[in-house]
């Protein structure tokens, strides 16, 4: 994963669902950049116009609930958003985000403290969330050991490739 | 300590005597499902994997074109073509193009591709539907599906189970959809996240297969990984009519550990409605109809309520009548087989004569793809499963979720209507 990520926070509420992250009508798009043009369109149509590359989505509980569409995290990544911080993530979104390499951070404290516009620096390797604007630091929940080993292996695809090689 | 039904199935599929919640397991899959959207991304991922030339077993993969079919535009057509080409190249046995299948979750059970005790993963969140048959079934994204395509295995975290026990006999005009909406309302949309839901009780024992499908289908609306029923004589008869493949009927142990046990008495339950904009914003119909809520569109269909049993309820209510003026009603039989059965029973003619538009089976309207998209300021009542902002089209539209009976009653009046208020209920 990338070393440090830096950008401004855009804060949203709880249950940000996959239908607002990438509305169904765009689900026939595969290209990440094209998808990125519509990221969060159902929730905040101005998001992609306002955000700068590297910016960070901050949301309450159950981020990414709803559909299994992998284009949801792909759209977020394609928009240039560097990461999502939330109090919790919906199950399928969590898996998808890790599989496609969108950094995600679980931290209730960070979400409660961060305000929209705050400048944030993230260290994905150790889960550190630094609020530069407020001069504070928070820690994201650690990934469970199996997830950590998948991330360290470079994600699911290299893991599968290794398994296939072992079979042959 | 014994195991829950979900734990039993997972243990068998990873060759262990015992599994427990939180444990990470590598489980063999009996079937991997994808539709043209999730398949397109999965195929792209698979093509990029070193050493991944063939799928693990062409007889254990089902590919169903259902989201943007008949293709709404060239881009959608290209995704369907990508999947078709892949199906031909990989000799996939269960490939269903438009006209031969329908909505994936309606088609797979019909085709005998789902049996008790099996483990099924699909590139669609409503894959949990197959829990109706006593199978472990869960939705995943396309990269996970690509991995399952080539390995025939998935990694899973064993979920803790929530036991839901339903007792009581439902009143007339109260259906499985109402029971499940109430359940999602009780649990909340993240109330079962990372959990299995296990359905129990005399109420669900009495339910038809279709009713159980409706309930298992919406387990994801509470965030659950899967929702599962015990297979009984009804399930076994249904499956054996469609396949001679052997299967193992698992049962939860008497001393299985559940994280929570929730008892729900359905005896006094009214028809339920999920109001905008989350599926857990559920209210009894008597509360909802206190306000006059005219609707622009009624939608009948989807993997939740697109079955012949659902269409029969709607046809019974609309028989010999006309839908309200200034209203459109779109009916989408769930599959080609449901469509044909409905045609044979005269249901399609009844609905068309009442003023309904009857569409080709597919998912289009439910997810705001096409064939029934809502515009700004429109209000719909729908038999589907989600009502998030923008789900069926405009973010400025409102979606109310209800049973086929409540939707049909609303079709007659043009406003959200309690089906029990219709005169013929007495008859």
């Amino acid at each position: 994963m990338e070393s440090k990520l830096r950008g401004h926070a855009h804060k949203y509420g709880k249950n940000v669902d996959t239908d607002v992250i990438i509305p169904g009508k765009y689900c026939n798009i595969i290209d990440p950049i094209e998808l990125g043009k519509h990221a969060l369109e159902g929730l905040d149509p101005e998001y992609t116009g306002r955000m700068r590359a590297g910016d960070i989505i901050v949301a309450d509980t159950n981020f990414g609930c709803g559909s299994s569409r992998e284009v949801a995290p792909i759209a977020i990544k394609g928009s240039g958003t560097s990461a999502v911080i939330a109090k919790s993530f919906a199950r399928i979104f969590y898996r998808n985000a890790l599989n496609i390499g969108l950094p995600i951070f679980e931290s209730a404290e960070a979400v409660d403290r961060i305000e929209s516009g705050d400048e944030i620096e993230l260290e994905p390797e150790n889960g550190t969330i630094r609020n530069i604007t407020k001069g504070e630091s928070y820690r994201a929940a650690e990934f469970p050991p199996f997830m950590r080993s998948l991330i360290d292996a470079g994600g699911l695809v290299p893991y599968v490739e290794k398994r296939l090689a072992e079979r042959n | 300590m014994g195991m829950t039904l979900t734990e039993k199935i997972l243990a068998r599929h990873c060759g262990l005597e015992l599994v427990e919640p939180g444990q990470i397991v590598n489980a063999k899959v009996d079937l991997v499902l994808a539709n043209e959207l999730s398949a397109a991304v999965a195929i792209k991922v698979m093509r990029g994997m070193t050493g991944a030339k063939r799928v693990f077993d062409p007889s254990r993969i089902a590919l169903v074109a259902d989201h943007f079919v008949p293709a709404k535009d060239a881009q959608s057509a290209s995704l369907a073509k990508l999947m078709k080409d892949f199906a031909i190249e990989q000799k996939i046995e269960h490939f269903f193009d438009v006209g031969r299948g329908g909505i994936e979750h309606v088609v797979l059970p019909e085709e005998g591709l789902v049996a008790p005790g099996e483990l099924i993963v699909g590139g669609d969140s409503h894959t949990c539907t197959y829990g109706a048959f006593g199978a472990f079934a869960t939705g995943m994204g396309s990269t996970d599906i690509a991995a399952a395509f080539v390995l025939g295995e998935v990694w899973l975290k064993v979920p803790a189970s929530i036991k839901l026990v339903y007792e009581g006999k439902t009143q007339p005009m109260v259906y499985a959809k109402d029971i499940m909406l109430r359940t999602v309302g009780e649990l909340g949309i993240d109330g079962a996240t990372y959990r299995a839901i296990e359905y129990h009780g005399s109420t669900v024992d009495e339910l038809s297969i279709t009713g159980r499908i409706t309930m298992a289908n919406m387990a994801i609306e509470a965030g659950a990984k899967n929702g599962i029923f015990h297979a009984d004589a009804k399930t076994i008869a249904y499956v054996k009519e469609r396949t001679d493949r052997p299967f193992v009927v698992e049962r939860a142990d008497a001393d299985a550990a559940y994280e929570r046990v929730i008892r729900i008495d359905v005896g006094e339950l009214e028809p339920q409605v999920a109001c905008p904009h989350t599926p857990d914003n559920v209210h009894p119909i008597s509360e909802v109809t206190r306000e006059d809520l005219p609707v622009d569109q009624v939608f009948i269909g989807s993997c939740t309520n697109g079955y012949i049993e659902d269409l029969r309820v709607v046809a019974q209510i609309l028989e010999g009548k006309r839908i309200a003026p200034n209203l459109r009603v779109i009916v989408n039989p769930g599959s080609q087989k449901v469509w044909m059965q409905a045609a044979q029973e005269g249901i399609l003619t009844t609905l068309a004569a009442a003023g309904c538009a009857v569409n080709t089976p597919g998912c289009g309207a439910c997810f705001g793809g096409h064939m029934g998209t809502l515009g700004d300021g429109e209000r719909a009542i729908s038999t589907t499963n989600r009502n998030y902002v923008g789900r069926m089209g405009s973010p400025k539209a409102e979606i109310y979720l209800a049973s086929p009976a409540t939707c049909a009653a609303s079709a007659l009046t043009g406003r959200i209507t309690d089906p029990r208020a219709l005169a013929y209920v007495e008859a």
Side-chain angles (χ1 to χ4, degrees), chain B residues 54-386:
Chain B
R54 310 294 309 172
V55 298
F56 81 106
D57 182 347
S59 71
R60 291 183 180 273
I61 289 173
L63 300 176
V64 188
D66 61 4
H67 272 60
F68 280 114
V69 297
K72 87 160 174 152
D73 54 21
Q75 194 158 300
S76 307
S78 70
L79 298 188
K81 182 173 187 304
L82 178 69
M83 184 169 83
K84 184 172 96 173
D85 292 346
F86 178 80
I88 295 168
E89 171 204 299
Q90 296 284 332
K91 302 186 168 61
I92 302 295
E93 280 179 29
H94 309 294
F95 164 62
F96 302 93
D97 209 339
V98 62
R100 294 197 168 91
I103 301 171
E104 49 199 331
H105 309 308
V106 183
V107 172
L108 264 50
E110 272 178 353
E111 297 294 330
L113 293 173
V114 175
E118 293 187 334
L119 193 154
I120 300 161
V121 296
D124 188 275
S125 59
H126 290 108
T127 301
C128 57
T129 306
Y130 314 128
F133 298 89
F136 173 90
T138 193
M140 294 181 164
S142 294
T143 302
D144 275 309
I145 291 302
F149 275 173
V150 297
L151 291 178
E153 291 174 9
V154 290
W155 73 264
L156 294 165
K157 185 164 85 174
V158 178
S161 293
I162 298 173
K163 182 176 183 175
L164 299 179
V165 186
Y166 299 89
E167 299 293 350
K169 191 172 158 22
T170 51
Q171 310 255 334
M173 291 289 152
V174 177
Y175 296 87
K177 181 64 167 284
D178 301 298
I179 299 174
M180 196 55 198
L181 285 173
R182 186 67 254 146
T183 304
V184 174
E186 299 275 340
L187 289 170
I189 56 173
D190 57 356
T193 301
Y194 292 100
R195 304 292 183 274
I197 290 175
E198 203 175 283
Y199 302 93
H200 287 260
S202 59
T203 313
V204 301
D205 291 343
E206 292 299 314
L207 273 182
S208 66
I209 293 292
T210 302
R212 294 179 195 171
I213 286 175
T214 302
M215 291 187 67
N217 173 271
M218 290 189 71
I220 181 69
E221 267 53 75
K225 184 172 209 147
N226 67 310
I228 193 163
F229 287 81
H230 279 89
D232 61 6
K234 263 183 265 190
T235 324
I236 292 165
Y238 179 101
V239 174
K240 284 198 165 161
E241 257 174 53
R242 291 162 176 82
T243 181
D244 46 19
R245 182 170 79 255
F247 53 86
V248 181
V249 176
E250 302 278 9
R251 297 206 64 80
D253 293 322
D255 59 347
Y258 295 91
E259 191 183 68
R260 292 165 74 190
V261 178
I262 301 172
R263 291 178 193 281
I264 298 176
D265 190 334
V266 303
E268 300 297 314
L269 191 73
E270 286 184 37
Q272 304 285 309
V273 180
C275 298
H277 291 285
T278 49
D280 65 347
N281 186 16
V282 175
H283 301 273
I285 184 101
S286 58
E287 249 175 54
V288 178
T289 52
R290 261 178 226 153
E291 205 184 332
D292 181 36
L293 295 166
V295 291
D296 301 284
Q297 177 170 308
V298 174
F299 180 78
I300 313 274
S302 81
C303 53
T304 316
N305 280 127
Y307 303 84
I308 191 68
E309 207 175 293
D310 300 316
L311 297 184
R312 284 180 189 140
V313 169
V314 174
Q316 209 182 335
I317 293 173
L318 298 188
E319 174 86 60
K321 301 194 173 72
R322 294 284 296 169
I323 62 166
N326 305 319
L327 168 73
R328 55 177 191 275
V329 178
I330 297 173
V331 181
N332 215 328
S335 70
Q336 195 78 358
K337 284 190 175 163
V338 171
W339 196 102
M340 287 195 292
Q341 179 73 28
Q344 276 164 17
E345 293 182 19
I347 289 172
L348 300 187
T349 311
T350 299
L351 299 178
C356 305
V358 181
N359 273 346
T360 295
C363 314
C366 171
F367 78 103
H370 66 154
M371 293 174 71
T373 311
L374 300 176
D376 288 358
E378 288 199 311
R379 181 182 292 129
I381 186 162
S382 172
T383 66
T384 53
N385 42 50
R386 289 192 182 131

Side-chain angles (χ1 to χ4, degrees), chain A residues 73 93 115:
Chain A
F93 184 92
E115 290 173 81

Side-chain angles (χ1 to χ4, degrees), chain A residues 28 70 95 99 161 163, chain B residues 26 50 142-144 153 155:
Chain A
N28 59 354
E70 196 160 292
R95 244 177 125 120
N99 283 346
E161 288 171 340
R163 296 279 312 277
Chain B
N26 217 14
T50 308
S142 294
T143 302
D144 275 309
E153 291 174 9
W155 73 264

